[in-house]
Amino acid sequence: MGAAVRRAARATGQLGLAAGLSLVSYLFLAVLLFTAVATLIVIGAGVLPETVLMLRGLAGFKRRRVAAWTGVPVPAAYLPLRGGLGARVRTALTDPGTVRDLRWLVVHFAHGWLLAYACLPLWPLGLVVDGVWCGLMGRRAVVLPLIARLADLDAAWSRALLTPTPEALQSRQLAARVEELTATRAGAVAAHGAELRRIERDLHDGAQARLVALSMRLGLARRMYDADPEAARRLLDDAQDQAEGALAELRHVVRGSHPPILTDRGLAGAVGALAAGSGLSVEVREDGLAAAPRAPAAVEAAAYFVVAEALTNAAKHSGADRAAVELARMPSALRVRVRDEGCGGARTGAAAAGAGTGSGAGGTGLLGMRRRVAALDGTMDVASPVGGPTVIEVELPCAW
């Protein structure tokens, strides 16, 4: 009996919200009338997109209530209202979702009140009948569950009216995919530009400066060779040092573009070398990579730089002395997981533009990693509660 009363009370709340939404629907009809008149006289056409957004908000609220009651979400599929006024008005008028929401609004205005009123006489009848039926005879309630049935009926009608057609859902998924690819392409272009600027800066500040000094020393040595051979020899020695330094700078730039160790030793060997030189106690585990064919070069490079950035920031900012790197071959992806036992607090998403992977980190560590991963259509998840640990998990699509 207690369970029946609690469920009936919850169903009554659901039906009460439906009745309140019916009242809002009644008031919204005046807004629709005003919008129709304003649109017909052209001057007020700008009201139409805003009205459609309000209608989507009402339908979205009902979808959330139905999902809360049934435990099954109700999908939505709308065309985005973007562009100039003319484009927004055309989209609002031609979107099948607008017609679908209007149909739901009219029908819900009727059945929302009807079902809410229907549950009212069931309460006194149910308390009496089910009180005797359950309390005295030990049987299951028969009247109070009808209130939950009414809430189920409201949810079923709303789901049927608000669920888009399969074609509309597919179109929305394709549109969302296009938006995602557009964003990842922009991120890849930004990452590429940042990489080019880094290479230019490294060449300008490092190798180019050393080569200029080398040229000056060779010129001085040539002019001094006949007059002071000893001084010329010292200049040539300095020039040799400058040449070796320039070569080291060029090797550094090359390693930043595509580390040769990846080509020579593969991803597992390259990550092992990173771990050895990170300054942390790093445990490296690989699952299935030894027996599998090598991943494409772009995938290996992205995984290598994810590990390199994560370990660098862990060493600099997290305060950790231990970390773990896991490389795993998935059926259609390469998974990279880096965990450090530091202080956590890494900022993700847009906040990562000013943070690395550890508390207090600066730079663009996480943002650069996300862009590099997104350029390959991969996914990246960061878990970094304050106090640690920080776990970065990346999956890169890969055809083995």
Side-chain angles (χ1 to χ4, degrees):
M1 181 66 182
V5 170
R6 287 192 294 272
R7 181 164 174 79
R10 183 167 173 256
T12 302
Q14 183 78 6
L15 293 172
L17 286 174
L21 193 57
S22 295
L23 176 61
V24 175
S25 302
Y26 176 75
L27 299 175
F28 195 73
L29 292 176
V31 177
L32 290 176
L33 180 62
F34 170 76
T35 301
V37 173
T39 303
L40 287 176
I41 63 176
V42 179
I43 299 176
V47 180
L48 179 62
E50 303 305 322
T51 303
V52 169
L53 289 177
M54 293 174 60
L55 179 60
R56 291 181 181 181
L58 289 175
F61 175 79
K62 187 60 180 181
R63 285 188 175 93
R64 291 190 295 273
R65 295 310 310 165
V66 171
W69 175 254
T70 63
V72 180
V74 182
Y78 297 110
L79 297 176
L81 297 178
R82 296 174 180 167
L85 177 59
R88 287 164 57 86
V89 171
R90 284 192 299 272
T91 301
L93 291 174
T94 58
D95 185 7
T98 303
V99 178
R100 184 168 53 249
D101 288 352
L102 284 172
R103 183 172 63 244
W104 162 80
L105 187 74
V106 173
V107 175
H108 186 269
F109 169 68
H111 78 71
W113 283 106
L114 179 64
L115 295 177
Y117 280 132
C119 83
L120 295 179
L122 293 177
W123 266 106
L125 181 63
L127 291 176
V128 174
V129 173
D130 289 338
V132 175
W133 189 252
C134 296
L136 298 180
M137 303 182 65
R139 304 294 182 85
R140 298 184 63 178
V142 294
V143 177
L144 290 177
L146 295 178
I147 301 177
R149 297 281 183 85
L150 293 176
D152 291 338
L153 190 60
D154 171 70
W157 286 349
S158 296
R159 181 182 296 276
L161 291 168
L162 290 174
T163 300
T165 62
E167 294 78 9
L169 280 175
Q170 185 177 16
S171 298
R172 179 54 190 157
Q173 290 170 355
L174 289 175
R177 181 60 176 160
V178 169
E179 293 178 0
E180 179 184 354
L181 291 176
T182 301
T184 56
R185 183 184 64 181
V189 170
H192 179 66
E195 189 70 8
L196 287 178
R197 289 190 295 272
R198 182 193 66 80
I199 293 174
E200 179 183 5
R201 183 176 63 252
D202 289 347
L203 289 174
H204 181 272
D205 297 342
Q208 178 176 316
R210 291 183 181 275
L211 289 174
V212 169
L214 171 62
S215 176
M216 293 176 62
R217 279 173 171 75
L218 289 175
L220 289 173
R222 186 178 60 183
R223 287 196 295 269
M224 296 177 62
Y225 185 77
D226 293 330
D228 191 350
E230 289 298 326
R233 187 176 295 111
R234 288 194 297 271
L235 288 173
L236 289 174
D237 291 339
D238 291 342
Q240 183 178 7
D241 294 338
Q242 291 291 336
E244 292 174 355
L247 288 174
E249 293 288 346
L250 290 173
R251 282 195 295 267
H252 174 74
V253 173
V254 171
R255 284 196 298 270
S257 302
H258 186 84
I261 194 172
L262 271 178
T263 304
D264 299 337
R265 299 173 56 181
L267 180 59
V271 169
L274 277 176
S278 66
L280 302 174
S281 174
V282 182
E283 178 187 1
V284 179
R285 298 188 300 272
E286 59 94 9
D287 181 12
L289 291 185
R294 289 188 60 172
V299 174
E300 284 193 341
Y304 176 87
F305 283 113
V306 165
V307 175
E309 186 69 32
L311 291 180
T312 298
N313 285 322
K316 287 184 178 179
H317 307 293
S318 71
D321 56 3
R322 293 184 296 111
V325 178
E326 179 183 348
L327 306 172
R329 178 182 184 267
M330 310 295 287
S332 59
L334 171 66
R335 187 180 68 194
V336 180
R337 189 172 184 268
V338 183
R339 174 189 174 106
D340 71 68
E341 304 298 331
C343 60
R347 287 173 285 174
T348 60
T357 60
S359 177
T364 56
L366 282 177
L367 183 60
M369 292 162 67
R370 286 190 184 279
R371 284 175 172 172
R372 189 180 290 271
V373 170
L376 297 178
D377 206 20
T379 60
M380 174 176 163
D381 294 320
V382 179
S384 184
V386 175
T390 295
V391 180
I392 299 175
E393 188 165 327
V394 169
E395 286 196 9
L396 298 166
C398 178
W400 300 96

